[in-house]
Each structure stands twice: as structure tokens, then as C-alpha cells.
Amino acid sequence: MADPSTALIHHPYTPPAGFAAPQPGVFKASTVLFPDVAAMRNFEWKDKTAYTYGLHGTPTTYLLEERLCTLEGGLQCLLLPSGLAAIANVALSLLRSGDEVLIPDNAYGPNQVLAAGELKSWGISHRFYDPLNPLDLVAKISPQTRLVWLEAPGSVTLEFPDLCELVQVCQARGVRTALDNTWGAGLAFAPFDLVPGAAPALGVDISVQALTKYPSGGGDVLMGSVITRDAALHMKLKLTHMRLGFGVGANDVEAVLRSLPSLALRYRAHDEAARELAHWCQARSEFVQILHPALPDSPGHAHWRDLCQSGFGGAAGLFSVIFHPRYSQHQIDAFCDRLKLFRLGYSWGGPMSLVVPYDLASIRSPWPAHLKPGTLVRFSVGLEAVADLQADLAQALTLI
Ligand SMILES: *Cc1c(COP(=O)(O)O)cnc(C)c1O
């Protein structure tokens, strides 16, 4: 085989086996090679006993899936190209024309937009329920309800629901539950074991995470996961995942694998800094309300305390403030513009602190009774020194 074109593609050398390092190797493939035709016909990708095609898994994706199962206390995992794709995979797999999905009224916005867009156009209806009122969920579950979404706490307003009660309501009626567990990240509480030691276990059926946030931790990867504890449910979700062609890039998987060992340390650091800043904001007269589940007067605090103290008591790095109504939107925009360390940008979970002003009236109508009137700004606390972040807030506040 003298021609280098051929020789470089079909090279006979294989390095010795047994290489070991703290970080696993990265396997990249669309094509996966088979030793013979019989293997090509017989290899089974569904149970991770073999490899057949890049989309159906590589050693790199299998590793991340298993580690995420350990993190969340699940048994099966799917990886998707974003957190939103993970949400969509659950909906497309479990809902059919004529079905209904119930979504908390404070749910991650794009989940609501998916329901109002594609799901609606395919004859799948959706209704919003008040996650702080389990009786509202009871009243809204109908014979058509096939899926109930849960989020703890809600996006932007961070109300913490009674997750155990909501799950019990659904279980008693045979309705599947899917939790968007991005905030908890598998650390604040155990989604499949909400009451540690309870037999049988009380938990959600499906836990979805935007790995984009804390598991990636870099602000540079988009990825999602769908974790289950039920093999049949997993297979249903996996077949949808396969038919829709969802896949993730090996380099992105590597980035998450590299970040996972520091996840708990980072989560705790984000959490401590956010609590310190939220407390500091409580003493400022510019704000009428601070939304952070660990603050005693934040909506749903008791539910957070009861659930999360049974885990390690974590509370992520997010909090929102409601500015006194005397401030105009213009003044609040100027405050956000004047911040130097808190940068303007969506998403969270990376090293850099971020700020987003929200027009809450346009996303929550009517205005929730548990929120004071005013203008909401959400902070995502990164890994900068807390004193510097506090000074940044102070300098931007003195100017408005
Ligand atoms: C960011 C986020 C998502 C979606 O993640 P992407 O990877 O950006 O699609 C889903 N749910 C919650 C609660 C989020 O914060």
C-alpha cells in the first residue's frame, strides 16, 4: 500500500491499550466501523451493549449519560443539543393530538412558547396552573391530561412550589410528571427521591436539565438531558430521540465531562454569593421585594426549606429584585446599563455574573398577588469576588 492517500486512511498501527488519565478520551464519529457483516446486522444500540452510528452513542456520550444518572439518581439518560430540545423531546414523545399538557404559570418561557406553537398546531392543548396552589392543579387535571410539567423554583420569579404535594396529586391520578431540574442541577434535592428513605420512593417520572447552565459551567456549551428511572418510559423517549435525529457533539460532551467534577463546588460558590447579595439587597430602599427561595419571606420559602434541607440545602445562584414603582423603566434600564461586572445576557451557570430586566406584566397576567408591584430585574451570580459584585450593584444604584 504505497500510495500515501490510502496508507494514511488505512494505517495499521494501533497504540497499546491501557492508557489511563483523569479525564476520559474523546471519541468522535458519525460512522462507526463494524468488524464484519454479521456484527453490522446484529449490533444493538438501544441498550448500550454496542455502537452502530454516531447519533446513537459513542463511549464519550455513554460516559456522560451514566455520570448524569448518578448525579440525579436516575437510571437512564438521553443527551440533546439544548435544554429546550430536551423539553421538546419529552413533549413530542408523550403527547398526541387530543391530549393536554399542564404547565406551571411561572415555567421557563420557551416551554410555554413550544406549547402555544407546535403543540397547539398539532391539536395538543395546554393549560397553565398555579404551582403554589396544588388545588388548582387538582382542578385542572382532566381525562385528557397526559403530562404535567414541574419547575422548582419557577423561572424569573423563583417561587418554590410544594413539589411533593404536586407529584402526589399527579401520581394519584396516573398522570406523568416531568420536572425542569435546571435550577436544582441534581444537587439541591433528589428529583426521584423527594422524601429521602420513603418507600416506595416519591419522585418525578422525568427530570430534564439544561446542561447549558451549571453542568457546563462555562457559558460556552448548549446541551440538555432527559433522565428517567423507568426502562419502558426511557425507551419511548429514546425512540423519539432517535427518530428526530437529536445528537450532541463530542467536544461539547467533553467540555461537560471536564466540568462535572467541580459542579458541586461551583454550585455552592454561586449559591453562597447569591445569598449574600440577596441579603444585601433586602436592606436597600430601592427594592420592594427580593425573590430568592432561601429568604424567609420569598414565595414558597417553606417548601424550599423542607425539600432542600433534606438534600444539601442548595439554592443555586439566581435571585430577582422588584424595584419600587417610583422608578421608571428608563431608570431601571439605566441601572442595568451602568453595571460593569454584571453583564447583559441570557442564560446562566457560567463564571460571569449576568443581569436581565424583565417586563413581568407581559409574561404574567394578571400580576400575581404574591408579588409586589414594580419592575423586576433578575441577577445570575457568577464566580467573581462577592465584594466586587456588591460594589458594582451599589455604584449602579447610586446613579439612578
Ligand atoms: C436555560 C433553561 C432551559 C433551556 O436551556 P437551553 O440549553 O438554553 O435551551 C430550560 N429550562 C430552564 C429552567 C432554563 O433556565
Side-chain angles (χ1 to χ4, degrees), residues 68-69 72 76-80 83 85-87 89-90 192 206-209 224-228 234 237 241:
L68 292 171
C69 284
E72 293 208 57
Q76 308 92 10
C77 175
L78 295 169
L79 298 176
L80 294 102
I87 289 170
N89 195 124
V90 171
F192 298 100
I206 300 168
S207 176
V208 165
Q209 262 204 67
S225 58
V226 176
I227 295 189
T228 45
H234 169 69
L237 295 161
H241 180 270

Side-chain angles (χ1 to χ4, degrees), residues 82-85 87 108 151 155 180 182 210 212-213 222-223 347-348:
S82 69
L84 182 55
I87 289 170
Y108 178 65
E151 210 174 314
S155 283
D180 183 332
T182 304
T212 307
K213 309 289 168 54
L222 287 155
M223 202 179 294
S347 200
W348 38 272

Side-chain angles (χ1 to χ4, degrees), residues 42 72 115 185 201 220 225 235 253 391:
N42 296 329
E72 293 208 57
D220 54 355
S225 58
M235 195 49 62
V253 175

Side-chain angles (χ1 to χ4, degrees), residues 24 34 43 47 66 73-74 79 111 123 145 153 161 164 185 201 209 247 251 271 277 287 310 314 320 333 378 392 399:
F34 299 93
F43 276 10
D47 58 6
E66 291 302 313
L79 298 176
N111 189 352
T145 310
C164 297
Q209 262 204 67
N251 288 345
D271 178 359
L277 293 171
F287 308 124
S310 64
S320 293
D333 291 354
R378 188 192 71 191
D392 194 29
L399 289 168

Side-chain angles (χ1 to χ4, degrees), residues 126-315:
H126 65 282
R127 284 205 286 173
F128 296 109
Y129 70 93
D130 176 0
L132 296 182
N133 179 6
L135 291 178
D136 188 47
L137 179 63
V138 170
K140 285 184 177 151
I141 290 179
S142 75
Q144 284 69 47
T145 310
R146 289 283 172 280
L147 177 66
V148 171
W149 278 101
L150 305 160
E151 210 174 314
S155 283
V156 182
T157 40
L158 301 168
E159 301 97 336
F160 210 96
D162 185 344
L163 210 46
C164 297
E165 180 66 27
L166 296 177
V167 169
Q168 272 164 347
V169 163
C170 296
Q171 275 183 357
R173 289 158 184 78
V175 179
R176 277 205 179 107
T177 50
L179 169 73
D180 183 332
N181 196 26
T182 304
W183 180 92
L187 294 170
F189 56 88
F192 298 100
D193 251 321
L194 296 169
V195 183
L202 178 70
V204 300
D205 295 311
I206 300 168
S207 176
V208 165
Q209 262 204 67
L211 305 175
T212 307
K213 309 289 168 54
Y214 294 119
S216 142
D220 54 355
V221 171
L222 287 155
M223 202 179 294
S225 58
V226 176
I227 295 189
T228 45
R229 251 191 188 184
D230 172 329
L233 176 58
H234 169 69
M235 195 49 62
K236 194 170 168 62
L237 295 161
K238 188 180 179 90
L239 290 172
T240 300
H241 180 270
M242 181 272 285
R243 290 188 289 255
L244 293 175
F246 281 139
V248 292
N251 288 345
D252 285 346
V253 175
E254 179 200 22
V256 179
L257 280 170
R258 198 162 190 272
S259 294
L260 276 189
S262 63
L263 174 66
L265 290 174
R266 287 183 287 108
Y267 192 86
R268 207 179 279 266
H270 289 290
D271 178 359
E272 280 172 12
R275 284 191 215 203
E276 200 171 324
L277 293 171
H279 277 294
W280 181 82
C281 286
Q282 267 193 318
R284 297 286 306 207
S285 61
E286 291 88 348
F287 308 124
V288 289
Q289 197 170 8
I290 311 296
L291 302 167
H292 184 303
L295 294 180
D297 49 3
S298 199
H301 165 74
H303 303 312
W304 169 81
R305 188 194 58 212
D306 294 347
L307 183 62
C308 292
Q309 298 303 317
S310 64
F312 87 66

